[in-house]
Amino acid sequence: PETGSNALLAAATAALNLHAISRHSQGASRINVGVLQAGTGRNVIPDKAVLKLETRGTTSEINEYMYKRALTILEAAAAMYEVKLAISPMGGAANCENTPALVARLQQVAAESNLFDSILPEGNIGGSEDCTYFMERVQQKGGQVAYLMVGTKLAAGHHDSRFDFEEESLVTATALLSKAAVELLSTK
């Protein structure tokens, strides 16, 4: 038995310790192990395990902190149980800031549309979004960017199996985007 390497125990140790990473004091940070697969039978030492996880941070720096801490934990768990570790990054998101002038124009369009009870100039979504890569690229080419959201009642939060929203908000969002497109394309 001393020559066997239990990949399931390594993965389980990693999963528990990943969730123990201290959150960052400069903004929201998250980690989630969404999948742990290992083993072929109840009486067989698992030789392989798969963990699927994600780190998030309000900024690129905070996400990098979470990512580096996760790597340290994965490497330590693999070393502890003498198993090999292979990491396959599957995606991520960059930090991106809205262009204040564009946000002001969109706020004006939203206010004039009379579609909303309240309009917030900004908000923290508590994580990161893939669209920030597009936003970052637009800014690198000299363009303006804004990330906007239309509020709606949610059955549960994002990434929850019970997530659902009121589809009527799609009509409101489409109307806002249409008015914004007309405004932005008809003025210089």
Side-chain angles (χ1 to χ4, degrees):
E2 72 277 6
T3 62
S5 296
N6 193 320
L8 174 84
L9 292 179
T13 296
L16 290 172
N17 285 285
L18 287 165
H19 283 277
I21 295 173
S22 295
R23 297 307 178 249
H24 203 281
S25 64
Q26 299 301 308
S29 57
R30 291 191 174 92
I31 189 159
N32 187 59
V33 176
V35 173
L36 191 163
Q37 296 170 326
T40 57
R42 64 178 176 78
N43 62 347
V44 178
I45 294 174
D47 64 334
K48 292 184 177 130
V50 173
L51 277 178
K52 294 182 182 180
L53 63 108
E54 177 178 83
T55 62
R56 288 200 176 213
T58 304
T59 65
S60 295
E61 293 77 21
I62 293 172
N63 189 52
E64 185 65 20
Y65 158 82
M66 294 299 288
Y67 181 78
K68 285 182 179 178
R69 292 292 300 130
L71 282 180
T72 299
I73 289 167
L74 292 167
E75 290 166 354
M80 194 173 165
Y81 287 92
E82 297 179 330
V83 297
K84 294 177 184 172
L85 174 66
I87 297 174
S88 302
M90 302 305 284
N95 182 44
C96 190
E97 298 293 327
N98 289 330
T99 305
L102 181 56
V103 170
R105 287 180 75 186
L106 292 173
Q107 281 181 287
Q108 182 179 355
V109 170
E112 291 171 357
S113 74
N114 294 317
L115 293 169
F116 306 99
D117 295 330
S118 65
I119 301 167
L120 304 175
E122 62 182 273
N124 185 344
I125 60 172
S128 56
E129 283 295 334
D130 300 338
C131 69
T132 57
Y133 283 119
F134 297 113
M135 293 171 68
E136 184 179 63
R137 184 74 172 159
V138 168
Q139 286 177 321
Q140 288 170 348
K141 297 291 185 178
Q144 297 184 32
V145 299
Y147 182 94
L148 62 92
M149 294 172 47
V150 172
T152 183
K153 291 180 182 175
L154 300 176
H158 295 93
H159 308 288
D160 186 298
S161 63
R162 297 172 293 122
F163 176 81
D164 196 11
F165 65 94
E166 290 182 350
E167 292 181 4
E168 182 62 29
S169 65
L170 294 174
V171 174
T172 307
T174 302
L176 174 61
L177 290 175
S178 299
K179 290 176 185 304
V182 168
E183 162 68 19
L184 294 171
L185 292 172
S186 63
T187 60
K188 294 184 181 189

